[in-house]
Structures are given as structure tokens and as C-alpha cells.
Amino acid sequence: MSYKRFPKPVRIILQQSQECIIASAWDALEFLRGWPAGRSGRAYRIALQHCLDALDGILSPRKAQASFMAAAREAGILAKRKQSV
């Protein structure tokens, strides 16, 4: 099975100073299975399905990444991008 790598890794905030890097649809699916309690809304369910679909070859890893980022943003755990100077 292919892990379906994302075009760019996604940074997730676990706690105040800890981050997790999600680099593939497989990583995202594993993270979604342990999703923070009380934060699993519609975007979470879509991300879960899109990651499964990407692993099955139905959707692109890019689409799964976008859905995962939307779910993380909705849950308030998506790390903000570091700006270049």
C-alpha cells in the first residue's frame, strides 16, 4: 500500500509548544483516529473519508491534504505558517 504523500507536510499543534508533522494520507488517517475529543465536526468526517479515498486511489493526496487542513483549522489545531523574512 502506498502512503500517498502530501505535496507539503501539515503542522499540527498538539500542546502549547509541541507540534506534529503529518506528511501523508496515512499519517492523517492515523491522526484522525485519535482526534481531540469534542472537535469532530463535519470537516473531520469529510477529512476522514477523503484520506481513506486517497489511500484507495479514488482521490488525490492533495485533496485529502486540503480536507485534513480544513478539519484541523476547524478544530483549532492547525499550526500557522511561519512567514519568510
Side-chain angles (χ1 to χ4, degrees), residues 48-77:
L48 187 65
Q49 187 62 55
H50 284 181
C51 287
L52 288 168
D53 289 347
L55 290 171
D56 286 341
I58 297 169
L59 284 180
S60 71
R62 183 178 302 276
K63 179 66 177 171
Q65 178 188 22
S67 298
F68 179 75
M69 289 176 67
R73 189 174 299 113
E74 181 180 272
I77 60 172

Side-chain angles (χ1 to χ4, degrees), residues 17-79:
S17 62
Q18 292 183 326
E19 292 183 359
C20 178
I21 304 297
I22 306 297
S24 68
W26 179 258
D27 291 345
L29 184 60
E30 289 294 306
F31 189 85
L32 288 165
R33 288 184 175 155
W35 199 249
R39 296 186 181 189
S40 55
R42 182 174 188 269
Y44 164 83
R45 293 187 301 277
I46 291 170
L48 187 65
Q49 187 62 55
H50 284 181
C51 287
L52 288 168
D53 289 347
L55 290 171
D56 286 341
I58 297 169
L59 284 180
S60 71
R62 183 178 302 276
K63 179 66 177 171
Q65 178 188 22
S67 298
F68 179 75
M69 289 176 67
R73 189 174 299 113
E74 181 180 272
I77 60 172
L78 182 65

